[in-house]
Amino acid sequence: MKIDEEALVSAALKARKQAYAPYSHWTVGAALFTKDGKIYEGCNIENAAYTPTNCAERTAFFKAVSEGAREFAAIAIVGGYDTKEPESICAPCGVCRQVMMEFCDPDTFRVILGTKDGVQVSQTLKELLPYGFGPDTLNEKN
Ligand code: THU
């Protein structure tokens, strides 16, 4: 299914409105697109104890996987301070890149970074996480 990158950024901007970020005030939205055309939205969810905080990207992945989705084509991400619409890109943290590595083909899965003005960056997971460690590493016969 063709990826409409601009529509995915719009979905991420919408998802960001649900962010719960009373500590950092940095709100993030993500929209995860499955190979069969479904969109799972996610936002960051913070916690008074700080470390239980979940990023927007992982919220989207965990929603999707918990509902049976396993095949993903792309994710759009937007983020910034809660006082205004994102004017700069928000790149995914290392932990979220690793979660992508678990479920996505690094050569084809696209990570789209947007702002209020739409798509700014579109790269493969491999470009964002070169030499990633994933399920295929463990499957290699030595
Ligand atoms: N955050 C995300 O949700 N995704 C990212 O890619 C970067 C960081 C969240 C975690 C925390 O709630 C806030 O942004 C500030 O780090």
Side-chain angles (χ1 to χ4, degrees), residues 101-103 133-140:
M101 193 70 202
E102 186 66 29
F103 293 105
F133 187 95
D136 285 350
T137 314
L138 295 178
N139 289 334
E140 269 168 24

Side-chain angles (χ1 to χ4, degrees), residues 39-79:
I39 294 178
Y40 290 90
E41 295 178 357
C43 62
N44 55 327
I45 303 168
E46 297 189 344
N47 189 282
Y50 287 26
T51 54
T53 293
N54 208 53
C55 289
E57 300 89 325
R58 278 177 289 141
T59 301
F61 267 95
F62 297 158
K63 281 174 68 179
V65 172
S66 68
E67 292 179 25
R70 289 287 189 285
E71 306 263 313
F72 303 106
I75 190 170
I77 303 158
V78 297

Side-chain angles (χ1 to χ4, degrees), residues 10-45:
S10 296
L13 287 165
K14 176 172 146 267
R16 178 173 174 257
K17 296 187 194 304
Q18 305 302 331
Y20 176 74
Y23 307 106
S24 74
H25 295 282
W26 184 266
T27 55
V28 183
L32 178 61
F33 189 62
T34 67
K35 287 186 181 171
D36 62 358
K38 289 201 194 82
I39 294 178
Y40 290 90
E41 295 178 357
C43 62
N44 55 327
I45 303 168

